[in-house]
Amino acid sequence: MADLTLTTFDWVPEPPRGFVRDLRVRWALEEAALPYRVASAPFDNRGPLHLAHQPFGQVPWLTDGDISIFETGAILLHLGQRSDKLMPSDPRGRAEATKWVFAALNSVEMASLPWAMSKFMGHPTDTPAWKFVDDFLKLRLKHLEPVLASREWLAGSFSVADILMADVLRPANGFDGLVDHPACRAYLARATARPAFAKAHADQMAHFAAADKARSQGG
């Protein structure tokens, strides 16, 4: 049995499928060709065992032997220590990848996720609240655009930073939020064209489809 176990929900409703954050970890594991297994935590009953691993009742978490890690940024940095396919081996490259990991999660996702959620919820776009959210995303993308126009990957070679940056851009792109930022769109297309992403996405969708089948059969 693999030492690495990725835990996600046993089932989720259809809208978040393909975006549940275990995808980021699956993607990294596939890129690195690290053996792992997938375990499930109940979506409808997040009890003490779940909270012992993920105190906010979310997913995913990763166990590596007797180490348990939550938060996808922390998980991917941990996996980066196990594979040079996920992190550059030189100190400068590792520092570059690490800072872009935090930039993806702290500077870009905090703008892209509220924007995409507002679009998904159908919030009116003629309010001061929407203008704030929209302007915030546009400002972040304005600064990201020249960076992505000048390089193929954030830290030289493909790394965990690209997994996270691509994934935080995906929800906004789904609602045409990148339409005025061709370098961001091209970067996202490069990242999601990678076979490891396709495998991770297909596996997540199959996981939840199997859960639908089990529920319909009373299993």
Side-chain angles (χ1 to χ4, degrees):
M1 181 180 295
D3 290 333
L4 296 171
T5 300
L6 169 64
T7 301
T8 187
F9 284 128
D10 59 349
W11 175 90
V12 296
E14 287 192 16
R17 295 182 189 188
F19 292 91
V20 182
R21 291 179 182 179
D22 67 89
L23 177 67
R24 301 173 179 181
V25 184
R26 291 176 186 266
W27 186 357
L29 290 164
E30 295 294 337
E31 290 280 358
L34 291 170
Y36 68 101
R37 71 181 189 92
V38 176
S40 294
F43 177 78
D44 297 319
N45 182 19
R46 305 174 198 187
L49 179 60
H50 188 149
L51 296 175
H53 287 281
Q54 219 298 352
F56 302 102
Q58 299 173 310
V59 295
W61 69 83
L62 181 80
T63 54
D64 182 353
D66 60 357
I67 300 171
S68 180
I69 312 165
F70 69 95
E71 292 295 341
T72 54
I75 294 170
L76 267 61
L77 287 173
H78 176 79
L79 292 175
Q81 296 175 10
R82 295 191 55 154
S83 174
D84 59 8
K85 294 180 180 179
L86 297 175
M87 286 284 279
S89 58
D90 62 293
R92 186 181 297 275
R94 295 181 76 86
E96 190 76 7
T98 300
K99 72 185 183 184
W100 281 106
V101 162
F102 285 94
L105 298 174
N106 291 341
S107 295
V108 180
E109 188 169 42
M110 70 183 299
S112 65
L113 186 59
W115 188 94
M117 289 298 294
S118 292
K119 282 286 191 177
F120 174 74
M121 297 296 291
H123 292 164
T125 58
D126 58 353
T127 65
W130 167 254
K131 186 177 186 306
F132 175 84
V133 171
D134 192 45
D135 287 349
F136 190 25
L137 177 62
K138 288 176 179 175
L139 179 63
R140 289 293 192 250
L141 294 178
K142 174 185 175 182
H143 290 290
L144 184 60
E145 180 75 3
V147 174
L148 297 181
S150 67
R151 62 186 82 178
E152 181 180 21
W153 304 118
L154 289 166
S157 59
F158 184 86
S159 72
V160 292
D162 298 298
I163 291 174
L164 289 164
M165 186 64 78
D167 203 52
V168 305
L169 290 174
R170 283 201 310 131
N173 188 59
F175 293 100
D176 293 329
L178 308 184
V179 67
D180 295 324
H181 299 87
C184 290
R185 294 199 316 274
Y187 168 81
L188 180 57
R190 286 196 301 276
T192 55
R194 296 175 70 86
F197 173 83
K199 175 70 161 54
H201 188 275
D203 285 352
Q204 183 183 97
M205 298 300 286
H207 175 84
F208 294 129
D212 284 338
K213 184 176 180 180
R215 284 190 167 210
S216 70
Q217 296 173 348

